[in-house]
Amino acid sequence: MSQADSLIETLKRQLRAQGKTYADVARWLGLSEASVKRLFAEKHFTLARLECICDQLNLEFVELVQTMQAGEQRLQELTQAQEQSIVDDRELFLVAVCVINGYSFDEIHHQYQLSELECTRQLLKLERLQLIELLPGNRIRRRLAANFRWRVNGPIQRFFQQYIANEFFRSRFDSDSEKLVVLNGLLSPAGNAEWQQTMQRLAKEFHSLCERESGLPIHQRFGTTSVLAVRQWQYGLFQDYKREAEAKS
């Protein structure tokens, strides 16, 4: 179902919820009831007409869109087997990462050595995994929840830890586009939990910024990775200096 279809179906549910009929809509729009029925059947509304109906329902247009999105089944996490299938297929992995970062079909095809056929084949695999919906004209609609994440200690997270971490930190972090901040201090369990919540808010701000800039041309955006980490941990180098009582605790 396209987004337009979903929006009209959501509008119909809102009308029913408030006990309104096609006759009411016809009166609001100054049309015949037959014309309104045809509009709903063809799912062909102008923005002005949608806003008029929303006004009569005491509903902001943005609320209608949010209600539609809330009603859709959005993916929060893949299964262990699904993640493993992505890790085992490097081309699928590449396309999945591109899609999650908002690449279009043409951007994937032109930036990487994938034929249109191969690109389509991989996108169809992602559609079967419910990560996306492949629309006419090779348009990609992501079906990811706002809190989508790879599985904790799952195949993809382990892959990044094994192969990406060393490469990521193999840098002096002294260019204009790089920054490394290492913080060290003493925190209580409550303080640690509070800091983790702060990190989570930063992660949301990062994703919000990516979303706000998603309309920019792809050549104006570049891959950006930010690592936020916290743990109760001490360098192994100092392990032998720990008192025996502390080591057993």
Side-chain angles (χ1 to χ4, degrees):
M1 182 182 295
S2 70
Q3 284 186 300
D5 290 349
S6 296
L7 190 65
I8 299 306
E9 289 301 318
T10 303
L11 180 61
K12 288 166 67 174
R13 288 195 294 271
Q14 291 295 316
L15 287 167
R16 287 195 295 269
Q18 296 192 29
K20 303 301 181 182
T21 65
Y22 286 158
D24 294 313
V25 177
R27 187 175 68 257
W28 300 336
L29 300 180
L31 299 172
S32 67
E33 187 172 344
S35 295
V36 169
K37 289 181 179 179
R38 186 164 57 252
L39 287 175
F40 275 99
E42 296 175 353
K43 297 181 174 60
H44 185 68
F45 281 83
T46 64
L47 182 58
R49 284 174 173 170
L50 284 174
E51 289 179 334
C52 177
I53 297 172
C54 286
D55 286 343
Q56 295 295 329
L57 294 174
N58 195 27
L59 182 71
E60 294 288 340
F61 181 72
V62 68
E63 291 179 296
L64 180 67
V65 174
Q66 290 171 345
T67 301
M68 175 195 73
Q69 293 174 335
E72 292 179 340
Q73 183 178 5
R74 299 233 168 211
L75 194 65
Q76 295 180 324
E77 188 177 85
L78 295 177
T79 66
Q80 186 87 0
Q82 287 172 328
E83 282 201 4
Q84 191 63 55
S85 69
I86 291 177
V87 168
D88 292 341
D89 185 336
R90 293 303 165 84
E91 289 187 359
L92 180 61
F93 200 171
L94 168 63
V95 174
V97 171
C98 287
V99 164
I100 289 173
N101 284 314
Y103 278 57
S104 68
F105 180 93
D106 287 340
E107 288 165 346
I108 298 172
H109 171 56
H110 289 128
Q111 191 158 335
Y112 298 99
Q113 296 183 34
L114 293 176
S115 67
E116 291 189 5
L117 178 62
E118 185 57 35
C119 193
T120 300
R121 183 181 294 119
Q122 301 301 345
L123 288 171
L124 288 173
K125 291 180 183 178
L126 295 180
E127 185 173 50
R128 287 194 290 273
L129 293 175
Q130 298 184 336
L131 273 168
I132 66 166
E133 183 179 353
L134 191 57
L135 303 174
N138 286 325
R139 290 180 295 116
I140 301 169
R141 179 186 175 199
R142 291 179 294 176
R143 299 186 59 85
L144 306 178
N147 60 342
F148 173 82
R149 67 175 187 177
W150 299 120
R151 297 178 67 87
V152 175
N153 200 33
I156 291 180
Q157 189 178 92
R158 290 199 300 270
F159 175 87
F160 276 103
Q161 290 172 339
Q162 182 176 357
Y163 296 103
I164 304 300
N166 288 338
E167 180 180 342
F168 178 80
F169 287 107
R170 197 178 302 130
S171 170
R172 295 177 62 181
F173 292 93
D174 56 0
S175 73
D176 291 341
S177 63
E178 296 179 326
K179 181 175 286 292
L180 177 64
V181 177
V182 178
L183 305 174
N184 186 36
L186 301 177
L187 289 175
S188 67
N192 182 286
E194 183 178 342
W195 178 241
Q196 289 190 44
Q197 291 174 359
T198 300
M199 291 169 59
Q200 189 61 43
R201 289 196 296 272
L202 288 174
K204 290 181 179 179
E205 289 183 20
F206 178 84
H207 289 301
S208 295
L209 182 58
C210 290
E211 193 66 29
R212 289 202 303 273
E213 294 201 329
S214 62
L216 293 174
I218 196 67
H219 67 270
Q220 293 183 16
R221 294 177 286 153
F222 54 90
T224 302
T225 299
S226 183
V227 177
L228 305 174
V230 61
R231 57 181 296 201
Q232 290 184 343
W233 177 76
Q234 191 176 59
Y235 295 110
L237 179 64
F238 303 137
Q239 192 67 28
D240 292 340
Y241 289 86
K242 297 178 71 174
R243 292 183 182 275
E244 184 176 354
E246 182 182 355
K248 292 180 180 179
S249 61

